Each structure stands twice: as C-alpha cells, then as structure tokens.
C-alpha cells in the first residue's frame, strides 16, 4: 500500500484513516504468520528496520508494553533505548518540547507511556520523528490494535458481530470506542453512571456513524456478544480507589455473565488482571479466555505500527 502519511505519529485511532489501521493490522497478521517457527529473538527476513532505533519513555509502570516494544525492534532488525521518565531530566523540569527536539536528533522514533495525554501530543508536535502513544490517561491505541488482531484471529471477522465492554469507562474503553467506529463493529458498553465512557469520544463516534450503545446493565451489554472485554477498576493514576471498587462491584465479569454471550465468544483483558475484582478466576483462566494470545499480539501489531510510522509499510 505504501505509507500514505509517511513519518506519521500513532497517537490515537480516531486520528487515522480506517484503511491505514486495516493495513497495519493485515501487515501484523502476515508478519506473525511468517515467523511462527522462528526463535523469539531472531530477526525477520529482510530486517525491515535495520539501522533504526526506537526510544521508549515510561512515566508509568509496564510489563507487556516494555517487553513487546523492545522485542519488536529486535525482530525488525533495529534497536531500542528504554528510559524511565523519572530518571530523565524531564522528571526534574526539562520541558517536553526541549526533550522532543533533543530526542529527535538521536533516534528515529519515540514511544511514550505518559501520565498526561498532552505530553504525548507535545512530544509529537515539537519533535521531528514519529511518536507512538503507549498509554496515557486518555487512551491505549496499541492495546486495541492487539485486541483487533486477537478477535479476528479467533472469530475470523467482526462483521455483523457485537463486542461488549463491562466495567470502567477508562482509557482502554476510549480506544475501544474509536476502534469500533474505525473498524465498523457494534459496541455495547456497560459502565456505572459515575465511571462512564468519555463523553467527547462518544460524541465523536456518533458524528462518525459509530454503532455504540451505553448502558448501566452488564447483562444487556453481554447479550449475544462475540467478545466481552474488561479492565482493572483502578487504573494507574486513579486516586479514588475505594469509590471505584464500590461503584464497579456489580460489573464483575463472571461465568453467569459470559453465558449470555454467543457460544464462540472470547474473554479479553489487556492485563494486569485482578482476579476476584473485575473478573473471576474461572473466566480469565477458563476456555473462553484469549488473554495470552491478546498479550502476545501486542508484539505483532506494534511491529507493524512502528514500521508504518517510519514509512516502511
Ligand atoms: N496491557 C498493558 O499495556 O500492559 P503493561 O502495563 O504491562 O504494559
Ligand atoms: N487502564 C489501565 C490499563 C493498564 C494497561 C491503566 O491505565 O492503568
């Protein structure tokens, strides 16, 4: 296809044309299949990103994102530099703009996990290399690309299917609303009144013709769904843990809720999970759960995301 927006950022799904997102997803599928028998550290044929370096900034904790991006660069034949935000001069007052200008002189792309979404936007605006959003307080677009790959791998297609979200209307839910609108599947979100999905995102989805339903009834959302997704009740940076735990208690995903979904339905969770809170152990460790495939797919989609940002696909 060629990169129609060469040297582009990957900040939010809503900013990118559907055909770009589809191209990234299809590339991820092809690359995943092509290296299925190779050792995890082996470089892909043709080393698509030889000579390229990705810097990663983490202002928040990470297991999956850190490892999958680092292995992504290794498999693509490039290299990576991992930086903890607190140990950078950024952590003691150097501006985001100056950080962006300096990093652009050293590396080919920057991945950032930031407390505030505005940090990611400013890095993108002030630097001269592509920036990838690896989770902010607003969104988690890389996660949703991995969820798309997982759902399509298991279900074939989401055409005519409904996906359900049950729990906190958080950053992952925001990216899910954007994914539903861009990829064109029906989405039903069940959230407590006080922790509902982002209103601006819902309005954007409505303007874009997204098929999105919001309810406070988990059973209504789960009914007939092809995938049921949840996430932690207390995200990184949330200060009101007690109030959240109380409000979200009726939104636990258990076997009774999964029984309302379609016969082939998947359970997804971006992880880390809290068994006995947002999901029961029998669901996340049960036959419907695709959470380990979902975690693996972070690696495959991010390889295609980085390659797209650098104009290689
Ligand atoms: N799902 C996810 O982003 O996991 P980490 O916080 O471990 O990176
Ligand atoms: N919503 C969670 C996702 C963690 C990967 C958080 O922001 O902490």
């Amino acid at each position: 296809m060629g990169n129609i927006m060469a040297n582009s950022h990957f900040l939010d799904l809503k900013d990118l044309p559907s055909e770009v997102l589809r191209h990234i997803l299809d590339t991820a599928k092809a690359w995943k299949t092509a290296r299925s028998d190779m050792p995890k550290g082996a470089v892909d044929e043709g080393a698509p990103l030889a000579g390229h370096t990705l810097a990663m900034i983490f202002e928040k904790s990470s297991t999956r994102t850190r490892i999958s991006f680092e292995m992504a660069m290794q498999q693509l034949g490039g290299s990576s530099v991992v930086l903890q935000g607190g140990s950078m001069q950024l952590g003691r007052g150097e501006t985001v703009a100056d950080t962006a200008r300096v990093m652009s002189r050293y590396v080919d792309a920057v991945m950032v996990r930031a407390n505030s979404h505005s940090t990611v936007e400013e890095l993108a605006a002030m630097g001269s290399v592509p920036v990838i959003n690896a989770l902010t307080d607003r969104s988690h677009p890389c996660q949703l690309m991995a969820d798309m790959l997982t759902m399509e791998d298991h279900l074939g297609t989401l055409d005519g299917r409904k996906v359900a979200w049950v729990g906190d209307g958080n950053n992952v839910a925001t990216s899910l609303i954007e994914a539903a609108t861009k990829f064109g599947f029906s989405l039903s979100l069940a959230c407590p009144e006080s922790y509902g999905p982002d209103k601006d995102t819902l309005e954007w989805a409505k303007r874009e013709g997204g098929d999105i339903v919001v309810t406070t009834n988990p059973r209504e959302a789960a009914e007939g769904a092809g995938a049921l997704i949840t996430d932690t009740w207390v995200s990184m940076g949330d200060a009101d843990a007690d109030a959240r735990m109380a409000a979200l208690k009726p939104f636990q995903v258990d076997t009774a809720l999964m029984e309302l979904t379609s016969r082939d339905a998947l359970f997804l969770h971006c992880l880390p999970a809290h068994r006995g809170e947002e999901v029961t152990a029998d669901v996340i460790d049960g036959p419907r759960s695709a959470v380990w495939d979902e975690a693996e797919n972070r690696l495959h989609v991010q390889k295609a995301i980085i390659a797209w940002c650098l104009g290689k696909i």
Side-chain angles (χ1 to χ4, degrees), residues 11 60 76 103 118 137-138 196 201 254 270 299:
L11 302 190
K60 299 184 184 189
L76 292 166
M103 291 184 75
S118 62
D137 53 344
R138 178 187 191 278
T201 305
D254 59 11
C270 64
L299 168 66

Side-chain angles (χ1 to χ4, degrees), residues 60-61 64-65 113 135-137 140 143 165 168 170-172 231-232 234-238 270-272 298:
K60 299 184 184 189
S61 304
R64 282 143 287 270
T65 304
R113 169 165 285 194
L135 183 145
T136 67
D137 53 344
H140 198 0
Q143 182 65 53
W165 173 271
D168 184 19
N170 64 11
N171 46 2
V172 178
D231 186 13
T232 181
V234 185
S235 285
M236 294 181 277
D238 283 341
C270 64
L271 306 176
R298 292 291 304 279

Side-chain angles (χ1 to χ4, degrees), residues 112-158:
V112 55
R113 169 165 285 194
N115 292 316
S116 165
H117 194 71
S118 62
T119 301
V120 177
E121 289 178 329
E122 199 176 348
L123 273 172
M126 301 310 292
S128 55
V129 297
V131 172
I132 298 170
N133 171 7
L135 183 145
T136 67
D137 53 344
R138 178 187 191 278
S139 54
H140 198 0
C142 294
Q143 182 65 53
L144 257 296
M145 292 299 280
D147 291 10
M148 286 303 302
L149 182 54
T150 311
M151 290 189 280
E152 292 192 356
D153 270 356
H154 282 264
L155 301 172
T157 172
L158 288 183

Side-chain angles (χ1 to χ4, degrees), residues 180-261:
T181 307
K182 288 287 176 178
F183 286 102
F185 59 85
S186 307
L187 173 64
S188 187
L189 302 111
C191 309
E193 206 78 71
S194 46
Y195 296 105
D198 179 62
K199 289 201 164 46
D200 290 344
T201 305
L202 288 173
E203 278 167 25
W204 166 85
K206 198 171 178 187
R207 283 197 304 276
E208 296 291 315
D211 180 9
I212 317 285
V213 172
V214 180
T215 171
T216 54
N217 182 353
R219 296 173 63 85
E220 185 188 324
E223 187 71 48
L228 198 160
I229 315 179
T230 191
D231 186 13
T232 181
W233 290 342
V234 185
S235 285
M236 294 181 277
D238 283 341
D240 52 348
D242 291 347
R244 292 176 157 277
M245 298 290 272
L248 283 150
K249 215 172 161 61
F251 293 79
Q252 183 184 68
V253 179
D254 59 11
T255 302
L257 198 63
M258 283 304 293
E259 273 169 8
L260 299 173
T261 61

